[in-house]
């Protein structure tokens, strides 16, 4: 199916279809210079498929992991485009997970003040969240995503066949974002995640993308509503940086302490079904410190997202001490 993200002149199609990478040459405009950014963990054949369909392809393979999302690699990507004579009419294609999409998108946003960008996410996590919405960034000075830009892709190709080769924990990590979408805005989707076998991953992924589409269309630059997509992330990012666990696993834990007791009981069931953690053994003070580094405060308070009942949520302003108490509940 094709889902259109309606953002005026920045509108684009998200194509969700098994095997759609193979159709990339007819779905994307690759009749120009194309910088394909991927990482060592992504099956080489995906980048090769894009390369074969391009007029002039250049492939940049980054080391796997969040550590590559830095200024040094960004500079390498920009220099490569400069050396190869890329102009404003050329483009960047990200083929991989969230790290690749974030840095490749930021390279596209900054090269010659912005060139076309296509995203081909190949992990469930990036298919469910970061590949749409236009957030691009690198990490800097120990802070995640601190240098970045809103730069919408020209199209997103979600080939759900690619998740077949992912390790189980990577699927679980992506399921966390799908469960999140259900918790904040789609009770029926949340119900699917509570009832194994009631829906396929493709169906749940598409529904969670519909949640993200609605949110991004009404608040592209996170002035308000888009903050709800950060449910579980305020504390989750702290857990992620202290424990090094996968993003979705940390977000899963972050969600467990930001909802009512009733919602929490149901959330724990959904997390267990998805193979996600429901408790963690780590230094809670370190998580608190990491969360404070990550989150910008406004008038001494931090915006967080609270769920009373799956399918609805509210943005609440909490004092750091209130979040500390929540972290202690982990
Ligand atoms: N990942 C949250 C957002 O795209 O706003």
């Amino acid at each position: 199916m094709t889902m259109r993200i309606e953002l005026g002149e920045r509108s684009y199609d998200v194509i969700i279809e098994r095997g759609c990478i193979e159709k990339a040459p007819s779905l994307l405009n690759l009749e120009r210079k194309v910088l394909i950014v991927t990482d060592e963990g992504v099956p080489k054949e995906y980048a090769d498929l894009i390369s074969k369909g391009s007029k002039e392809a250049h492939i940049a393979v980054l080391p796997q992991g969040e550590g590559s999302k830095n200024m040094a690699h960004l500079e390498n990507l920009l220099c490569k485009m400069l050396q190869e004579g890329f102009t404003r009419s050329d483009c960047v294609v990200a083929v991989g997970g969230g790290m690749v999409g974030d840095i490749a998108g930021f390279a596209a946003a900054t090269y010659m003040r912005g060139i076309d960008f296509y995203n081909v996410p190949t992990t469930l996590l990036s298919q469910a969240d970061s590949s749409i919405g236009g957030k691009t960034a690198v990490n800097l000075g120990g802070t995640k995503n601190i240098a970045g830009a809103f730069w919408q892709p020209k199209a997103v190709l979600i080939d759900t066949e690619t998740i077949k080769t992912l390790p189980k924990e990577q699927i679980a990590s992506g399921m966390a974002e799908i469960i999140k979408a259900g918790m904040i805005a789609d009770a029926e989707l949340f119900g699917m995640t509570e009832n194994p076998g009631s829906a396929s991953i493709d169906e749940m992924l598409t529904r969670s993308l519909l949640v993200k589409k609605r949110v991004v269309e009404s608040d592209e630059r996170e002035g308000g509503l888009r903050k709800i997509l950060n449910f579980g992330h305020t504390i989750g990012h702290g857990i992620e940086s202290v424990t090094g666990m996968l993003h979705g696993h940390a977000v899963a834990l972050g969600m467990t302490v930001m909802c009512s007791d009733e919602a929490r009981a149901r959330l724990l069931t959904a997390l267990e079904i998805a193979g996600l953690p429901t408790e963690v053994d780590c230094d809670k003070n370190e998580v608190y410190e990491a969360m404070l580094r990550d989150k910008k405060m406004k008038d001494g308070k931090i915006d967080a997202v609270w769920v009373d009942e799956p399918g609805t949520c509210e943005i609440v302003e909490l004092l750091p001490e209130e979040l500390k108490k929540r972290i202690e509940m982990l």
Side-chain angles (χ1 to χ4, degrees), residues 114-182:
I115 63 172
D116 285 356
F117 172 55
Y118 297 111
N119 208 337
V120 185
T122 59
T123 62
L124 184 61
L125 182 69
S126 57
Q127 292 177 348
D129 186 43
S130 61
S131 64
I132 74 165
K135 280 189 178 176
T136 72
V138 293
N139 306 326
L140 180 66
T143 305
K144 254 173 99 81
N145 300 328
I146 199 68
F150 285 98
W151 191 249
Q152 299 295 342
K154 287 286 166 200
V156 180
L157 289 192
I158 298 184
D159 184 341
T160 48
E161 198 74 27
T162 61
I163 66 168
K164 283 209 171 139
T165 53
L166 291 179
K168 262 200 334 233
E169 66 270 18
Q170 283 286 347
I171 300 281
S173 181
M175 278 306 298
E177 291 288 353
I178 291 174
I179 293 170
K180 177 202 81 178

Side-chain angles (χ1 to χ4, degrees), residues 129-130 132-135 177 180 212 216 222 226-227 229-230 233:
D129 186 43
S130 61
I132 74 165
K135 280 189 178 176
E177 291 288 353
K180 177 202 81 178
K212 182 143 188 186
V216 168
E222 202 169 301
R226 187 163 176 171
K227 290 182 186 154
L229 298 175
N230 298 332
H233 287 61

